[in-house]
Amino acid sequence: MYENIQSIEQYHDFINSNLLTVIHVMRNHCSVCHAVLPQIQDLLEEYPKVKFGVINQSELKDIAGELCIFTVPVELIFMNGKEMHRQGRFIDMQTFEHQLNKMYGVVE
């Protein structure tokens, strides 16, 4: 399950109030974004301590400037409110999982 993030303030609260977070940034008519979302959700079932947030850039246009995003989808991993890993456009799920697994080992 994920939290639907709808404001910049909510985004900041989300990443700063959780030890390890994943953010999925997508847009409305992006087939790749909609295909990657369930893959990330399935992966995160194996990591119960990770909080998952989804931002729809079509609804929150200012997030592009806040996160320096030029394309979607974007997958971000934050630890203690700091960005630790980013993948955009072409999401390599193995690399993403490898990075997440390394950080998850720290919080266990």
Side-chain angles (χ1 to χ4, degrees):
M1 197 64 184
Y2 61 83
E3 183 173 332
N4 190 18
I5 298 172
Q6 299 180 334
S7 72
I8 300 292
E9 295 78 18
Q10 186 182 3
Y11 155 75
H12 284 289
D13 288 343
F14 187 76
I15 65 167
N16 290 318
S17 63
N18 297 297
L19 180 60
L20 191 58
T21 59
V22 170
I23 301 287
H24 171 76
V25 183
M26 60 186 291
R27 288 187 62 80
N28 285 340
H29 308 290
C30 170
S31 60
V32 176
C33 299
H34 292 279
V36 170
L37 179 59
Q39 293 177 38
I40 297 292
Q41 284 179 292
D42 289 346
L43 173 65
L44 292 179
E45 287 180 8
E46 299 174 32
Y47 299 91
K49 294 180 183 175
V50 176
K51 300 300 181 189
F52 184 37
V54 174
I55 300 173
N56 186 333
Q57 188 185 355
S58 299
E59 297 169 6
L60 183 57
K61 295 182 184 350
D62 292 343
I63 200 67
E66 183 73 20
L67 294 174
C68 297
I69 292 174
F70 301 102
T71 187
V72 287
V74 174
E75 305 305 322
L76 302 151
I77 302 173
F78 290 88
M79 181 178 251
N80 293 322
K82 293 183 175 52
E83 183 178 324
M84 303 300 285
H85 180 74
R86 173 186 292 231
Q87 285 190 33
R89 196 168 190 192
F90 302 108
I91 309 302
D92 180 342
M93 293 301 290
Q94 288 180 326
T95 300
F96 184 81
E97 183 174 13
H98 176 74
Q99 293 297 322
L100 183 62
N101 195 39
K102 286 193 324 190
M103 287 173 251
Y104 197 78
V106 173
V107 299
E108 282 192 308

